[in-house]
Amino acid sequence: CPEERQRLVFVGMYRDNDVSSHLTSFTSSFGVSGGVIANVTDVKLSTLSLDDVIEMIMTEMRLPRRLVSELADVVHKRTHGHALFVVQLLNSLVSDLTISYSPLLHRFYWDQ
């Protein structure tokens, strides 16, 4: 019976400006553990510009630029343009009904 291989996928994220020596040693320790070498892939994502966030919100909400610009500005400032944080913030705004769909208006709306 061949030795079974166990697999683990670990996904972590951080902002470059938040990196400390503790994180560097933590991530490097994944490379070798108990004589077993693990494949470690480092993926660097660039931040989204304000225009990118505007386009993202326009596409998802099917609204024109003039209606999403203020919301996009707030989202961009709070997330610093980090794509994963933009999606997470927008999902939380929908979950807590800060952003809602109005059947009467036939569009998403929020307090501006």
Side-chain angles (χ1 to χ4, degrees):
C1 176
E3 183 180 312
E4 286 188 38
R5 297 181 81 188
Q6 294 185 0
R7 298 178 188 267
L8 169 71
V9 175
F10 174 81
V11 178
M13 65 181 183
Y14 59 89
R15 295 181 181 157
D16 285 342
N17 60 346
D18 293 339
V19 177
S20 69
S21 60
H22 297 294
L23 180 62
T24 306
S25 63
F26 175 74
T27 56
S28 64
S29 69
F30 272 96
V32 177
S33 174
V36 177
I37 296 175
N39 294 325
V40 177
T41 303
D42 187 19
V43 178
K44 295 184 185 232
L45 301 174
S46 60
T47 58
L48 299 173
S49 68
L50 176 57
D51 280 338
D52 293 332
V53 176
I54 289 171
E55 288 292 327
M56 179 186 283
I57 294 174
M58 283 173 47
T59 301
E60 290 303 312
M61 295 187 176
R62 295 174 178 85
L63 291 172
R65 178 178 293 271
R66 66 182 172 77
L67 292 179
V68 303
S69 291
E70 275 186 53
L71 174 63
D73 187 50
V74 171
V75 169
H76 188 263
K77 285 178 181 170
R78 288 190 59 190
T79 62
H80 303 283
H82 191 293
L84 297 173
F85 296 148
V86 168
V87 172
Q88 187 176 35
L89 177 59
L90 289 171
N91 283 335
S92 71
L93 292 174
V94 170
S95 293
D96 68 12
L97 300 178
T98 301
I99 297 175
S100 302
Y101 183 78
S102 169
L104 183 64
L105 299 173
H106 302 287
R107 70 174 186 90
F108 286 94
Y109 73 96
W110 54 91
D111 290 334
Q112 296 186 17

